[in-house]
Amino acid sequence: MSTWVYFGSKDGLIAAVLDYRHEQFFALVEQALQGVSGADSETAYLDFICAWTRSPQFHGCLFINACAEFSDPNSPFYQQASQHKRQVRELLYRHFVCGDDVDEATLQYAKTLADRTFIFGEGLIVAGQGELVGYFGQAEH
């Protein structure tokens, strides 16, 4: 049987692979952040990214590659990859917001921490794709 029977087309296959990888990666990030909140979330996330980029299973980020390959922001694959990145950043944000009684300043600080941690993580991923992580050594937080 042809692959197209299951996915309908090449585009269907690409969308399914992106969905599958999102579910896999997101579960790994959630596991790395389990039981962690506040500032400890930054260390846990960046340690996870460092370990992932050094693992034999690391072959780059499918979502960064999808954005590069399908660079038109209207492309469904670009949008799917961008949505994945937004969801990772949102997960970080939720881990930086501690407790139910938070004021606007706390929410803004959590946003800043989530943005910073996300960008640092993306940089580590790109460095890992270029095999530069070992050159820079352990991520310092």
Short mmCIF file of all heavy atoms in Angstrom, two decimals, residues 61-125:
data_model
loop_
_atom_site.label_atom_id
_atom_site.label_comp_id
_atom_site.label_asym_id
_atom_site.label_seq_id
_atom_site.Cartn_x
_atom_site.Cartn_y
_atom_site.Cartn_z
N CYS A 61 15.99 20.58 14.76
CA CYS A 61 14.61 20.84 15.14
C CYS A 61 13.72 20.82 13.90
O CYS A 61 13.89 21.64 13.00
CB CYS A 61 14.51 22.20 15.84
SG CYS A 61 12.82 22.67 16.23
N LEU A 62 12.80 19.90 13.89
CA LEU A 62 11.89 19.77 12.76
C LEU A 62 11.10 21.06 12.52
O LEU A 62 10.83 21.42 11.38
CB LEU A 62 10.93 18.60 13.01
CG LEU A 62 9.96 18.26 11.89
CD1 LEU A 62 10.71 17.82 10.63
CD2 LEU A 62 9.02 17.16 12.33
N PHE A 63 10.78 21.78 13.58
CA PHE A 63 9.95 22.98 13.45
C PHE A 63 10.74 24.16 12.92
O PHE A 63 10.24 24.95 12.12
CB PHE A 63 9.26 23.27 14.78
CG PHE A 63 8.43 22.11 15.21
CD1 PHE A 63 8.92 21.19 16.13
CD2 PHE A 63 7.18 21.88 14.65
CE1 PHE A 63 8.18 20.08 16.49
CE2 PHE A 63 6.43 20.78 15.01
CZ PHE A 63 6.92 19.86 15.93
N ILE A 64 11.99 24.29 13.35
CA ILE A 64 12.86 25.32 12.78
C ILE A 64 13.08 25.02 11.30
O ILE A 64 13.01 25.91 10.45
CB ILE A 64 14.20 25.40 13.54
CG1 ILE A 64 13.97 25.97 14.95
CG2 ILE A 64 15.21 26.25 12.78
CD1 ILE A 64 15.19 25.93 15.85
N ASN A 65 13.33 23.75 11.00
CA ASN A 65 13.55 23.36 9.61
C ASN A 65 12.30 23.58 8.75
O ASN A 65 12.40 23.99 7.60
CB ASN A 65 14.01 21.91 9.53
CG ASN A 65 15.38 21.72 10.15
OD1 ASN A 65 16.14 22.66 10.32
ND2 ASN A 65 15.69 20.49 10.52
N ALA A 66 11.13 23.31 9.32
CA ALA A 66 9.88 23.52 8.57
C ALA A 66 9.69 25.00 8.26
O ALA A 66 9.26 25.36 7.16
CB ALA A 66 8.69 22.98 9.35
N CYS A 67 9.99 25.87 9.22
CA CYS A 67 9.87 27.32 8.98
C CYS A 67 10.84 27.78 7.90
O CYS A 67 10.53 28.67 7.12
CB CYS A 67 10.09 28.11 10.27
SG CYS A 67 8.67 28.07 11.37
N ALA A 68 12.02 27.17 7.85
CA ALA A 68 12.99 27.52 6.83
C ALA A 68 12.56 26.99 5.45
O ALA A 68 12.64 27.71 4.45
CB ALA A 68 14.37 26.98 7.19
N GLU A 69 12.09 25.77 5.43
CA GLU A 69 11.69 25.15 4.16
C GLU A 69 10.41 25.75 3.60
O GLU A 69 10.27 25.92 2.39
CB GLU A 69 11.50 23.64 4.37
CG GLU A 69 11.17 22.87 3.12
CD GLU A 69 12.31 22.80 2.12
OE1 GLU A 69 13.48 22.87 2.53
OE2 GLU A 69 12.01 22.66 0.91
N PHE A 70 9.48 26.07 4.46
CA PHE A 70 8.19 26.64 4.06
C PHE A 70 8.10 28.04 4.64
O PHE A 70 7.37 28.29 5.59
CB PHE A 70 7.04 25.76 4.55
CG PHE A 70 7.14 24.34 4.09
CD1 PHE A 70 7.65 23.35 4.93
CD2 PHE A 70 6.77 23.98 2.81
CE1 PHE A 70 7.76 22.03 4.51
CE2 PHE A 70 6.87 22.66 2.38
CZ PHE A 70 7.37 21.69 3.23
N SER A 71 8.89 28.95 4.10
CA SER A 71 9.09 30.27 4.72
C SER A 71 7.95 31.26 4.51
O SER A 71 7.94 32.31 5.14
CB SER A 71 10.40 30.89 4.23
OG SER A 71 10.38 31.03 2.82
N ASP A 72 6.99 30.92 3.68
CA ASP A 72 5.82 31.79 3.51
C ASP A 72 4.95 31.69 4.76
O ASP A 72 4.47 30.61 5.09
CB ASP A 72 5.04 31.35 2.28
CG ASP A 72 3.77 32.16 2.05
OD1 ASP A 72 3.45 33.06 2.86
OD2 ASP A 72 3.10 31.90 1.03
N PRO A 73 4.75 32.80 5.46
CA PRO A 73 3.93 32.76 6.69
C PRO A 73 2.52 32.23 6.47
O PRO A 73 1.86 31.80 7.41
CB PRO A 73 3.90 34.21 7.16
CG PRO A 73 5.10 34.84 6.55
CD PRO A 73 5.31 34.13 5.24
N ASN A 74 2.05 32.20 5.23
CA ASN A 74 0.72 31.67 4.94
C ASN A 74 0.73 30.16 4.70
O ASN A 74 -0.33 29.55 4.58
CB ASN A 74 0.12 32.38 3.71
CG ASN A 74 -0.13 33.84 4.00
OD1 ASN A 74 -0.64 34.20 5.06
ND2 ASN A 74 0.27 34.70 3.08
N SER A 75 1.92 29.58 4.62
CA SER A 75 2.02 28.13 4.42
C SER A 75 1.45 27.42 5.64
O SER A 75 1.75 27.78 6.78
CB SER A 75 3.50 27.75 4.24
OG SER A 75 3.68 26.37 4.48
N PRO A 76 0.65 26.39 5.43
CA PRO A 76 0.10 25.66 6.58
C PRO A 76 1.20 25.02 7.44
O PRO A 76 1.06 24.90 8.65
CB PRO A 76 -0.80 24.60 5.96
CG PRO A 76 -0.44 24.53 4.53
CD PRO A 76 0.18 25.84 4.17
N PHE A 77 2.33 24.64 6.83
CA PHE A 77 3.41 24.02 7.59
C PHE A 77 4.17 25.06 8.41
O PHE A 77 4.57 24.80 9.54
CB PHE A 77 4.36 23.26 6.66
CG PHE A 77 3.63 22.32 5.75
CD1 PHE A 77 3.79 22.39 4.39
CD2 PHE A 77 2.74 21.38 6.27
CE1 PHE A 77 3.10 21.53 3.55
CE2 PHE A 77 2.04 20.52 5.44
CZ PHE A 77 2.23 20.60 4.07
N TYR A 78 4.34 26.23 7.85
CA TYR A 78 4.94 27.33 8.60
C TYR A 78 4.06 27.67 9.80
O TYR A 78 4.55 27.83 10.92
CB TYR A 78 5.09 28.55 7.69
CG TYR A 78 5.74 29.74 8.35
CD1 TYR A 78 7.10 29.97 8.22
CD2 TYR A 78 4.99 30.65 9.10
CE1 TYR A 78 7.71 31.07 8.81
CE2 TYR A 78 5.58 31.74 9.71
CZ TYR A 78 6.94 31.95 9.56
OH TYR A 78 7.53 33.03 10.16
N GLN A 79 2.76 27.74 9.57
CA GLN A 79 1.83 28.05 10.66
C GLN A 79 1.82 26.94 11.71
O GLN A 79 1.78 27.23 12.92
CB GLN A 79 0.43 28.28 10.08
CG GLN A 79 0.34 29.55 9.27
CD GLN A 79 -1.00 29.74 8.60
OE1 GLN A 79 -1.94 28.97 8.81
NE2 GLN A 79 -1.10 30.77 7.78
N GLN A 80 1.89 25.70 11.29
CA GLN A 80 1.91 24.57 12.22
C GLN A 80 3.18 24.63 13.07
O GLN A 80 3.13 24.43 14.29
CB GLN A 80 1.85 23.27 11.41
CG GLN A 80 1.37 22.08 12.15
CD GLN A 80 1.18 20.89 11.20
OE1 GLN A 80 1.29 20.99 9.98
NE2 GLN A 80 0.89 19.75 11.79
N ALA A 81 4.32 24.90 12.45
CA ALA A 81 5.58 24.99 13.18
C ALA A 81 5.57 26.19 14.13
O ALA A 81 6.03 26.09 15.28
CB ALA A 81 6.75 25.09 12.20
N SER A 82 5.04 27.30 13.68
CA SER A 82 4.95 28.49 14.53
C SER A 82 4.04 28.24 15.73
O SER A 82 4.34 28.67 16.85
CB SER A 82 4.43 29.68 13.73
OG SER A 82 5.35 30.05 12.74
N GLN A 83 2.96 27.52 15.51
CA GLN A 83 2.05 27.18 16.60
C GLN A 83 2.76 26.32 17.64
O GLN A 83 2.59 26.52 18.85
CB GLN A 83 0.80 26.47 16.07
CG GLN A 83 -0.18 26.03 17.14
CD GLN A 83 -0.80 27.19 17.90
OE1 GLN A 83 -0.85 28.32 17.44
NE2 GLN A 83 -1.24 26.92 19.11
N HIS A 84 3.56 25.39 17.18
CA HIS A 84 4.33 24.55 18.11
C HIS A 84 5.22 25.42 18.99
O HIS A 84 5.26 25.27 20.21
CB HIS A 84 5.19 23.55 17.33
CG HIS A 84 6.28 22.94 18.14
ND1 HIS A 84 6.07 21.92 19.04
CD2 HIS A 84 7.60 23.25 18.23
CE1 HIS A 84 7.22 21.60 19.62
NE2 HIS A 84 8.16 22.40 19.15
N LYS A 85 5.93 26.35 18.36
CA LYS A 85 6.84 27.22 19.12
C LYS A 85 6.06 28.08 20.12
O LYS A 85 6.50 28.27 21.25
CB LYS A 85 7.66 28.11 18.17
CG LYS A 85 8.62 27.33 17.28
CD LYS A 85 9.68 26.64 18.10
CE LYS A 85 10.71 25.95 17.23
NZ LYS A 85 11.76 25.29 18.02
N ARG A 86 4.91 28.59 19.72
CA ARG A 86 4.08 29.39 20.64
C ARG A 86 3.63 28.53 21.83
O ARG A 86 3.60 29.01 22.96
CB ARG A 86 2.86 29.96 19.92
CG ARG A 86 3.18 31.19 19.06
CD ARG A 86 1.92 31.88 18.56
NE ARG A 86 1.09 31.04 17.72
CZ ARG A 86 1.26 30.85 16.42
NH1 ARG A 86 2.24 31.46 15.78
NH2 ARG A 86 0.45 30.08 15.73
N GLN A 87 3.28 27.29 21.59
CA GLN A 87 2.82 26.42 22.67
C GLN A 87 3.95 26.08 23.64
O GLN A 87 3.71 26.00 24.85
CB GLN A 87 2.19 25.15 22.10
CG GLN A 87 0.84 25.42 21.47
CD GLN A 87 0.23 24.19 20.84
OE1 GLN A 87 0.93 23.26 20.44
NE2 GLN A 87 -1.09 24.18 20.75
N VAL A 88 5.16 25.92 23.15
CA VAL A 88 6.29 25.69 24.05
C VAL A 88 6.52 26.92 24.90
O VAL A 88 6.69 26.83 26.13
CB VAL A 88 7.57 25.32 23.26
CG1 VAL A 88 8.80 25.32 24.16
CG2 VAL A 88 7.41 23.97 22.57
N ARG A 89 6.50 28.09 24.29
CA ARG A 89 6.69 29.34 25.03
C ARG A 89 5.59 29.54 26.07
O ARG A 89 5.83 29.95 27.19
CB ARG A 89 6.75 30.52 24.07
CG ARG A 89 7.23 31.78 24.74
CD ARG A 89 6.17 32.84 24.48
NE ARG A 89 6.25 33.91 25.42
CZ ARG A 89 5.39 34.10 26.41
NH1 ARG A 89 4.39 33.28 26.62
NH2 ARG A 89 5.49 35.11 27.22
N GLU A 90 4.35 29.20 25.71
CA GLU A 90 3.22 29.32 26.64
C GLU A 90 3.37 28.35 27.81
O GLU A 90 3.04 28.70 28.95
CB GLU A 90 1.90 29.06 25.90
CG GLU A 90 0.67 29.14 26.77
CD GLU A 90 0.44 30.49 27.43
OE1 GLU A 90 0.81 31.53 26.85
OE2 GLU A 90 -0.12 30.51 28.55
N LEU A 91 3.87 27.16 27.56
CA LEU A 91 4.11 26.20 28.63
C LEU A 91 5.14 26.76 29.61
O LEU A 91 4.96 26.68 30.83
CB LEU A 91 4.59 24.86 28.07
CG LEU A 91 4.93 23.78 29.09
CD1 LEU A 91 3.69 23.37 29.89
CD2 LEU A 91 5.53 22.58 28.38
N LEU A 92 6.19 27.36 29.09
CA LEU A 92 7.19 27.99 29.95
C LEU A 92 6.54 29.09 30.79
O LEU A 92 6.77 29.19 31.99
CB LEU A 92 8.33 28.56 29.12
CG LEU A 92 9.26 27.54 28.48
CD1 LEU A 92 10.18 28.20 27.48
CD2 LEU A 92 10.04 26.78 29.55
N TYR A 93 5.74 29.92 30.15
CA TYR A 93 5.07 31.02 30.86
C TYR A 93 4.23 30.48 32.03
O TYR A 93 4.30 31.00 33.14
CB TYR A 93 4.19 31.80 29.88
CG TYR A 93 3.33 32.85 30.53
CD1 TYR A 93 3.88 34.04 30.98
CD2 TYR A 93 1.96 32.65 30.69
CE1 TYR A 93 3.09 35.02 31.57
CE2 TYR A 93 1.17 33.61 31.29
CZ TYR A 93 1.73 34.79 31.72
OH TYR A 93 0.95 35.75 32.32
N ARG A 94 3.48 29.43 31.78
CA ARG A 94 2.65 28.85 32.85
C ARG A 94 3.49 28.36 34.02
O ARG A 94 3.07 28.44 35.16
CB ARG A 94 1.77 27.72 32.29
CG ARG A 94 0.64 28.20 31.41
CD ARG A 94 -0.40 27.12 31.15
NE ARG A 94 0.13 25.86 30.68
CZ ARG A 94 0.28 25.53 29.39
NH1 ARG A 94 -0.06 26.38 28.45
NH2 ARG A 94 0.75 24.35 29.07
N HIS A 95 4.69 27.89 33.73
CA HIS A 95 5.55 27.43 34.80
C HIS A 95 6.19 28.58 35.57
O HIS A 95 6.58 28.40 36.72
CB HIS A 95 6.63 26.48 34.27
CG HIS A 95 6.13 25.08 34.14
ND1 HIS A 95 6.27 24.15 35.14
CD2 HIS A 95 5.46 24.46 33.15
CE1 HIS A 95 5.71 23.02 34.76
NE2 HIS A 95 5.22 23.18 33.55
N PHE A 96 6.29 29.74 34.96
CA PHE A 96 6.84 30.90 35.65
C PHE A 96 5.80 31.63 36.49
O PHE A 96 6.13 32.37 37.39
CB PHE A 96 7.49 31.88 34.68
CG PHE A 96 8.83 31.42 34.19
CD1 PHE A 96 9.05 31.17 32.86
CD2 PHE A 96 9.88 31.22 35.08
CE1 PHE A 96 10.29 30.75 32.41
CE2 PHE A 96 11.12 30.80 34.64
CZ PHE A 96 11.33 30.56 33.30
N VAL A 97 4.53 31.43 36.18
CA VAL A 97 3.46 32.03 36.99
C VAL A 97 3.17 31.08 38.14
O VAL A 97 2.65 29.99 37.94
CB VAL A 97 2.18 32.27 36.14
CG1 VAL A 97 1.06 32.77 37.02
CG2 VAL A 97 2.46 33.23 35.01
N CYS A 98 3.54 31.50 39.32
CA CYS A 98 3.37 30.64 40.51
C CYS A 98 2.19 31.13 41.33
O CYS A 98 2.11 32.31 41.67
CB CYS A 98 4.62 30.66 41.37
SG CYS A 98 6.06 30.01 40.54
N GLY A 99 1.30 30.24 41.65
CA GLY A 99 0.17 30.58 42.50
C GLY A 99 -0.98 31.20 41.75
O GLY A 99 -0.90 31.49 40.56
N ASP A 100 -2.06 31.38 42.48
CA ASP A 100 -3.28 31.93 41.88
C ASP A 100 -3.40 33.43 42.08
O ASP A 100 -4.05 34.11 41.31
CB ASP A 100 -4.52 31.25 42.50
CG ASP A 100 -4.56 29.77 42.17
OD1 ASP A 100 -4.13 29.39 41.06
OD2 ASP A 100 -5.02 29.00 43.02
N ASP A 101 -2.79 33.94 43.12
CA ASP A 101 -2.91 35.35 43.46
C ASP A 101 -1.68 36.11 42.95
O ASP A 101 -0.73 36.32 43.69
CB ASP A 101 -3.05 35.51 44.98
CG ASP A 101 -3.38 36.93 45.38
OD1 ASP A 101 -3.99 37.64 44.56
OD2 ASP A 101 -3.00 37.31 46.50
N VAL A 102 -1.71 36.46 41.67
CA VAL A 102 -0.57 37.15 41.08
C VAL A 102 -1.01 38.51 40.55
O VAL A 102 -2.11 38.67 40.03
CB VAL A 102 0.08 36.32 39.95
CG1 VAL A 102 0.73 35.08 40.51
CG2 VAL A 102 -0.93 35.94 38.89
N ASP A 103 -0.14 39.47 40.69
CA ASP A 103 -0.45 40.82 40.21
C ASP A 103 0.12 41.02 38.81
O ASP A 103 0.81 40.15 38.27
CB ASP A 103 0.07 41.88 41.19
CG ASP A 103 1.57 41.80 41.41
OD1 ASP A 103 2.28 41.13 40.61
OD2 ASP A 103 2.05 42.42 42.37
N GLU A 104 -0.16 42.17 38.23
CA GLU A 104 0.27 42.47 36.87
C GLU A 104 1.79 42.45 36.73
O GLU A 104 2.32 41.97 35.73
CB GLU A 104 -0.29 43.82 36.43
CG GLU A 104 -0.07 44.14 34.97
CD GLU A 104 -0.68 43.12 34.02
OE1 GLU A 104 -1.78 42.60 34.31
OE2 GLU A 104 -0.07 42.83 32.96
N ALA A 105 2.50 42.95 37.73
CA ALA A 105 3.96 42.95 37.68
C ALA A 105 4.52 41.53 37.64
O ALA A 105 5.47 41.24 36.90
CB ALA A 105 4.54 43.71 38.87
N THR A 106 3.92 40.63 38.38
CA THR A 106 4.35 39.24 38.40
C THR A 106 4.10 38.58 37.05
O THR A 106 4.94 37.84 36.53
CB THR A 106 3.62 38.45 39.51
OG1 THR A 106 3.90 39.08 40.76
CG2 THR A 106 4.05 37.00 39.55
N LEU A 107 2.94 38.88 36.46
CA LEU A 107 2.63 38.33 35.14
C LEU A 107 3.60 38.84 34.08
O LEU A 107 4.04 38.09 33.22
CB LEU A 107 1.19 38.67 34.75
CG LEU A 107 0.10 38.01 35.60
CD1 LEU A 107 -1.27 38.52 35.19
CD2 LEU A 107 0.17 36.49 35.48
N GLN A 108 3.94 40.12 34.16
CA GLN A 108 4.88 40.70 33.20
C GLN A 108 6.27 40.08 33.38
O GLN A 108 6.96 39.77 32.41
CB GLN A 108 4.96 42.22 33.35
CG GLN A 108 5.83 42.90 32.31
CD GLN A 108 5.40 42.59 30.88
OE1 GLN A 108 4.22 42.63 30.54
NE2 GLN A 108 6.36 42.27 30.03
N TYR A 109 6.68 39.88 34.63
CA TYR A 109 7.97 39.26 34.90
C TYR A 109 7.99 37.82 34.38
O TYR A 109 8.97 37.37 33.79
CB TYR A 109 8.28 39.29 36.40
CG TYR A 109 9.64 38.77 36.75
CD1 TYR A 109 10.80 39.39 36.27
CD2 TYR A 109 9.79 37.65 37.56
CE1 TYR A 109 12.05 38.91 36.58
CE2 TYR A 109 11.05 37.16 37.88
CZ TYR A 109 12.18 37.79 37.39
OH TYR A 109 13.43 37.31 37.70
N ALA A 110 6.90 37.10 34.57
CA ALA A 110 6.79 35.73 34.07
C ALA A 110 6.89 35.71 32.54
O ALA A 110 7.55 34.83 31.96
CB ALA A 110 5.48 35.09 34.52
N LYS A 111 6.28 36.68 31.88
CA LYS A 111 6.36 36.78 30.43
C LYS A 111 7.79 37.02 29.99
O LYS A 111 8.29 36.39 29.05
CB LYS A 111 5.45 37.89 29.91
CG LYS A 111 5.49 38.05 28.40
CD LYS A 111 4.76 39.30 27.95
CE LYS A 111 4.83 39.51 26.47
NZ LYS A 111 6.15 39.42 25.86
N THR A 112 8.48 37.92 30.68
CA THR A 112 9.87 38.22 30.35
C THR A 112 10.74 36.98 30.53
O THR A 112 11.57 36.66 29.67
CB THR A 112 10.40 39.38 31.23
OG1 THR A 112 9.60 40.54 30.96
CG2 THR A 112 11.86 39.68 30.95
N LEU A 113 10.56 36.27 31.63
CA LEU A 113 11.33 35.04 31.88
C LEU A 113 11.04 33.97 30.82
O LEU A 113 11.95 33.30 30.34
CB LEU A 113 11.03 34.48 33.26
CG LEU A 113 11.63 35.23 34.45
CD1 LEU A 113 11.16 34.59 35.76
CD2 LEU A 113 13.15 35.22 34.38
N ALA A 114 9.77 33.81 30.48
CA ALA A 114 9.39 32.81 29.47
C ALA A 114 10.00 33.17 28.12
O ALA A 114 10.54 32.29 27.44
CB ALA A 114 7.87 32.70 29.38
N ASP A 115 9.92 34.44 27.74
CA ASP A 115 10.50 34.87 26.46
C ASP A 115 12.00 34.62 26.45
O ASP A 115 12.55 34.08 25.49
CB ASP A 115 10.22 36.35 26.21
CG ASP A 115 8.76 36.64 25.91
OD1 ASP A 115 7.99 35.70 25.62
OD2 ASP A 115 8.38 37.83 25.98
N ARG A 116 12.68 35.02 27.52
CA ARG A 116 14.13 34.86 27.59
C ARG A 116 14.52 33.39 27.55
O ARG A 116 15.42 32.99 26.80
CB ARG A 116 14.66 35.50 28.87
CG ARG A 116 16.18 35.40 29.00
CD ARG A 116 16.66 36.00 30.28
NE ARG A 116 16.30 35.12 31.40
CZ ARG A 116 16.45 35.46 32.66
NH1 ARG A 116 16.91 36.65 32.99
NH2 ARG A 116 16.12 34.61 33.62
N THR A 117 13.86 32.57 28.34
CA THR A 117 14.18 31.14 28.39
C THR A 117 13.92 30.49 27.05
O THR A 117 14.73 29.67 26.57
CB THR A 117 13.35 30.46 29.50
OG1 THR A 117 13.61 31.13 30.74
CG2 THR A 117 13.69 28.99 29.62
N PHE A 118 12.81 30.85 26.42
CA PHE A 118 12.49 30.29 25.10
C PHE A 118 13.57 30.66 24.08
O PHE A 118 14.05 29.79 23.35
CB PHE A 118 11.11 30.79 24.65
CG PHE A 118 10.75 30.33 23.28
CD1 PHE A 118 10.33 29.03 23.06
CD2 PHE A 118 10.85 31.18 22.20
CE1 PHE A 118 10.01 28.58 21.79
CE2 PHE A 118 10.52 30.75 20.92
CZ PHE A 118 10.11 29.45 20.72
N ILE A 119 13.96 31.93 24.05
CA ILE A 119 14.98 32.38 23.08
C ILE A 119 16.32 31.70 23.35
O ILE A 119 17.01 31.27 22.42
CB ILE A 119 15.11 33.92 23.10
CG1 ILE A 119 13.83 34.57 22.58
CG2 ILE A 119 16.32 34.38 22.31
CD1 ILE A 119 13.48 34.22 21.14
N PHE A 120 16.71 31.59 24.61
CA PHE A 120 17.96 30.88 24.94
C PHE A 120 17.88 29.43 24.45
O PHE A 120 18.84 28.90 23.88
CB PHE A 120 18.23 30.89 26.44
CG PHE A 120 18.74 32.20 26.98
CD1 PHE A 120 18.77 32.40 28.34
CD2 PHE A 120 19.18 33.22 26.16
CE1 PHE A 120 19.23 33.60 28.88
CE2 PHE A 120 19.63 34.42 26.68
CZ PHE A 120 19.66 34.61 28.04
N GLY A 121 16.75 28.80 24.69
CA GLY A 121 16.57 27.42 24.24
C GLY A 121 16.66 27.29 22.73
O GLY A 121 17.30 26.36 22.21
N GLU A 122 16.03 28.22 22.02
CA GLU A 122 16.10 28.20 20.55
C GLU A 122 17.55 28.37 20.07
O GLU A 122 17.97 27.70 19.13
CB GLU A 122 15.22 29.29 19.95
CG GLU A 122 13.73 29.06 20.16
CD GLU A 122 13.24 27.78 19.50
OE1 GLU A 122 13.24 27.67 18.26
OE2 GLU A 122 12.87 26.85 20.26
N GLY A 123 18.28 29.24 20.75
CA GLY A 123 19.69 29.42 20.39
C GLY A 123 20.50 28.15 20.61
O GLY A 123 21.35 27.79 19.79
N LEU A 124 20.23 27.45 21.72
CA LEU A 124 20.91 26.19 21.98
C LEU A 124 20.57 25.14 20.92
O LEU A 124 21.43 24.35 20.50
CB LEU A 124 20.56 25.66 23.37
CG LEU A 124 21.17 26.43 24.53
CD1 LEU A 124 20.53 25.99 25.85
CD2 LEU A 124 22.68 26.22 24.58
N ILE A 125 19.32 25.13 20.48
CA ILE A 125 18.90 24.18 19.45
C ILE A 125 19.64 24.46 18.15
O ILE A 125 20.18 23.56 17.51
CB ILE A 125 17.37 24.23 19.24
CG1 ILE A 125 16.66 23.69 20.48
CG2 ILE A 125 16.97 23.44 18.00
CD1 ILE A 125 15.16 23.97 20.52
#
